[in-house]
Amino acid sequence: MKTKRYFLPEKELPNEWYNIQADMTNKPMPMLNPATRKPVTVEELSVLFSEEVSKQELNTTDRWIPIPDEVREKYTYYRSTPLVRAYGLEKALDTPAHIYFKNESVSPVGSHKLNSALAQAYYCKKEGVTNVTTETGAGQWGAALSYAASLFGLEAAVYQVKISYEQKPYRRSMMQVFGAQVTPSPSMSTRAGKDIITVNPNHQGSLGTAISEAVELARMTPNCKYTLGSVLSHVTLHQTVIGLEAEKQMEMAGEYPDVVIACFGGGSNFGGLAFPFLRHNLLDGKKTRFIAAEPASCPKLTSGKFEYDFGDESGYTPLLPMYTLGHKFTPANIHAGGLRYHGAGVIVSQLMKDNLMEAVDILQLDSFKAGCLFAKAEGIIPAPESCHAIAATINEALKCKESGQEKVLLFNLSGHGLVDMSAYDQYLAGNLVNY
Amino acid sequence: MKTKRYFLPEKELPNEWYNIQADMTNKPMPMLNPATRKPVTVEELSVLFSEEVSKQELNTTDRWIPIPDEVREKYTYYRSTPLVRAYGLEKALDTPAHIYFKNESVSPVGSHKLNSALAQAYYCKKEGVTNVTTETGAGQWGAALSYAASLFGLEAAVYQVKISYEQKPYRRSMMQVFGAQVTPSPSMSTRAGKDIITVNPNHQGSLGTAISEAVELARMTPNCKYTLGSVLSHVTLHQTVIGLEAEKQMEMAGEYPDVVIACFGGGSNFGGLAFPFLRHNLLDGKKTRFIAAEPASCPKLTSGKFEYDFGDESGYTPLLPMYTLGHKFTPANIHAGGLRYHGAGVIVSQLMKDNLMEAVDILQLDSFKAGCLFAKAEGIIPAPESCHAIAATINEALKCKESGQEKVLLFNLSGHGLVDMSAYDQYLAGNLVNY
């Protein structure tokens, strides 16, 4: 019988995360304090974030960062995640390509987000923090943080974009089952929220309003830190556990990827899978291609400009050197909420600038078409975000069919879509716009 | 680091299912044709079911039934499922007990149901059947059959209880993504449905109406067979892959269960985990206890009578010798839809009669309380059905705490609750009745 899934024994789980910044010839340019235009310091960052992740954020020299034992122990609750040979998909496409995917959807909260949530919650706990806060849109990150906070005995307060709070009740319920306090944003619980509601009592909320409220809560609450689920370099660092596992698992399968593909929102699931393989391009002369699959309606890597920009709509964050559509850009209302972000993380932006990776744009209908094909062939209903990676993989597999090349493709199944079935409903009913 | 999860290499996946009937001193009494009061034959059963499962249903002599290679290959898409040491739960309960669970929630459709759906779909395909049909309530079984049908190239038609079709749209959408035709029952597509609607145009449907429609469709459609997700012996046979894996995995953990626990609806997830271990009680003098956890509102094992009864409300099925609350019994509207069944499978009924297993009743609020505790401790939000097994396990673990005994407890996490979050919502809001 052909092997379908590869797991690592627990003792072979990675001990360290991989910091690609140490191996980059051109390091990312520094984040700037918008007031002083000077590089942001660990001291400045750690007002908001735990000290340890603030250090990680600015660490451009240490290649390996130890994974604390306490985090590794929690990783064993769901890691290693399986590396899966997609025989079903290969057959459906009739392609000579060998398609593999890393299945991050098996995490308790259904996505890769937990890999960083556990680390961030742990560092907070270790530093004596008692409360953590964050914003969430559809709720993937909020659910991950709520669970991680519960495991480490922290109180979690999540500001969820109001329209998602009302329209996506399942992820809100998940957060509540894990014991988190979930507030629809804008709310009357913060100065920022009150100001917004005063002007517009019917404001439906946005990641911008939710970030403002979470940041304010962290600033005004003793022993409370803010956490973020993507974009920043320390988040991607934690996600490299995905690629480091995949590297060993591909070795078990006796193959090495010619192409590595992931969907692209802020960059954490992409970097998490890609960077450990990219290091062999940087250091060992490998020629693997790396493809970020972004929504055509939010094409920062293919159509954005590389420049200093704010990470949030309101301009509260440091200035980040990145590919951006402008921090005032409002993405179309696609169902892949996790990809609706105007900018790309600073590491990916630098790699893109240096032609060390590629990006493709995927239309919404193509993403769901790919997702349904995958569901029928492999049985897993993918998150709308992950559908973008699948669509890009299918495109590569069909090129292999045309050329007869037996390439090895590896993509990241960042999450499942079981809590996003209403989006599939609308797709099957023909009600989705093809942004 | 302590080992958290145990997997089997693919080559060690079971090659055979275990037929406990071969080892029972008192075999189950025969199913009877209600017209003739004579034992049902393979010929009679195979009008409705595939021939192979009809044979399996009545096979009381062969201990081992080979798992076809084609089914085994599809099992590798998600099997082995992990055996997990519930360190988090042990810690939360401060118990000396060692708690393990078999995590069937990692199947593509989120529950153990797929183990039999794959087998049933395969046999249909092999016998030249082109269409399969079934009924489903909340949709766990319907989703499993839809997926299995898609993998084996069969058309699936699922009659879903109308009120669930409307109130639980996520599982309906899952079935549709897998390509199944889903019809709310009662419908105008069958004689049975029309008759019901004529009398009561607002009928909300029940498993009874849905079974009648699916059976009629199978009878009236060329090359179409009916399939069932629990109760019958061949379904439980297929589910023994759970316990056979768990047996090897417990060996990897160096332990053997003192108590095996599963929730109880028709018996397939219970028998699937329990029977392979129970064989060592029957044959090797082991003294493991087996506990079926049923809802207090549907207590057929603890309060039912052992007698011949119909398997469905309308009296279309053969007469089954079982513990039953009467086929006209209407269970309270608890959220564990999969446990709302009036009778117990014939094998379990005989085992119960012979005192070879036990049963306990769990109140609805106790089940959700246990589910939330488990979610916080282990990160997985359990299906409302599985919450009953967790509650029973917690009771045993607390007894161990009292007595200081280091017992080994093993329960079946039959499914996750991600598509049942509205039930948790109502629990957290204090809106659930404590049936």
Side-chain angles (χ1 to χ4, degrees), chain A residues 132-136 142-143 145-146 156-160 175 180-184:
Chain A
V132 289
T133 180
T134 198
E135 75 287 333
T136 199
L145 185 72
S146 301
V158 180
Y159 285 95
Q160 184 172 21
M175 295 186 257
Q181 181 194 314
V182 189
T183 308

Side-chain angles (χ1 to χ4, degrees), chain B residues 43-219:
Chain B
E43 289 63 39
E44 287 171 319
L45 281 178
S46 60
V47 171
L48 217 48
F49 297 97
S50 71
E51 204 183 321
E52 190 58 36
V53 305
S54 301
K55 286 183 193 161
Q56 290 172 355
E57 186 63 30
L58 302 183
N59 186 334
T60 59
T61 50
D62 297 317
R63 181 182 290 157
W64 299 105
I65 308 288
I67 305 177
D69 283 348
E70 293 82 352
V71 175
R72 243 179 128 240
E73 193 244 318
K74 299 306 180 201
Y75 277 173
T76 64
Y77 279 44
Y78 62 104
R79 309 205 68 86
S80 67
T81 62
L83 174 79
V84 188
R85 174 78 184 266
Y87 290 116
L89 183 61
E90 290 174 19
K91 192 176 153 198
L93 298 171
D94 188 23
T95 175
H98 294 193
I99 306 176
Y100 292 84
F101 62 92
K102 184 71 169 156
N103 186 0
E104 291 294 306
S105 81
V106 301
S107 107
V109 298
S111 81
H112 70 291
K113 292 286 185 195
L114 195 51
N115 300 328
S116 183
L118 287 170
Q120 294 192 50
Y122 166 71
Y123 290 127
C124 284
K125 181 70 181 180
K126 192 182 159 203
E127 293 171 20
V129 171
T130 54
N131 294 56
V132 289
T133 180
T134 198
E135 75 288 332
T136 199
Q140 291 268 30
W141 168 247
L145 185 73
S146 301
Y147 168 60
S150 150
L151 280 192
F152 285 111
L154 298 165
E155 295 297 323
V158 180
Y159 287 94
Q160 184 171 21
V161 176
K162 194 179 197 172
I163 191 163
S164 297
Y165 181 93
E166 282 157 8
Q167 288 182 350
K168 305 215 163 183
Y170 277 28
R171 282 225 180 78
R172 164 176 59 73
S173 311
M174 285 173 71
M175 294 187 256
Q176 290 169 332
V177 167
F178 290 131
Q181 183 194 313
V182 189
T183 307
S185 174
S187 76
M188 294 298 282
S189 70
T190 62
R191 182 77 259 161
K194 278 179 202 154
D195 287 350
I196 295 163
I197 290 173
T198 306
V199 175
N200 179 359
N202 298 317
H203 197 296
Q204 291 301 294
S206 68
L207 277 175
T209 70
I211 291 178
S212 305
E213 293 203 90
V215 166
E216 182 180 323
L217 183 72
R219 286 212 167 125

